[in-house]
Amino acid sequence: MSKTKVIINNNGSIKIEGDFEIMDCDGNVYGLEGRTALGLCRCGLSSNKPFCDGSHRNNFAHEPKAFDLPPMKK
């Protein structure tokens, strides 16, 4: 099984690539029609949430930088 990648784009969406499924809070699966890559909205402006429709352009600024989370609590 290949690894699923999640990429936090500069000033934009969260890109997900690989073998994945996306479910709503009730466990219903979105029909992705065979897509193996797509963008998820993180700005809140998309009219197609949870998917990115490009509405963030010129309205959302964030330059992600990777960091380590603190250790999990035992």
Side-chain angles (χ1 to χ4, degrees):
M1 179 193 238
S2 66
K3 221 183 225 189
T4 299
K5 285 188 197 178
V6 177
I7 303 149
I8 311 301
N9 289 318
N10 278 339
N11 304 321
S13 66
I14 296 171
K15 185 175 182 182
I16 183 168
E17 298 177 339
D19 183 23
F20 58 88
E21 66 180 8
I22 300 175
M23 291 182 268
D24 67 14
C25 62
D26 295 321
N28 300 307
V29 177
Y30 286 90
L32 303 178
E33 303 304 321
R35 287 174 176 81
T36 58
L38 55 76
L40 297 175
C41 177
R42 71 180 177 118
C43 72
L45 300 172
S46 176
S47 60
N48 195 31
K49 288 184 213 67
F51 306 104
C52 177
D53 68 0
S55 293
H56 62 271
R57 283 187 180 80
N58 302 318
N59 293 307
F60 183 74
H62 178 257
E63 292 185 30
K65 299 294 178 201
F67 60 90
D68 295 331
L69 293 174
M72 290 181 16
K73 295 179 180 176
K74 296 180 182 185

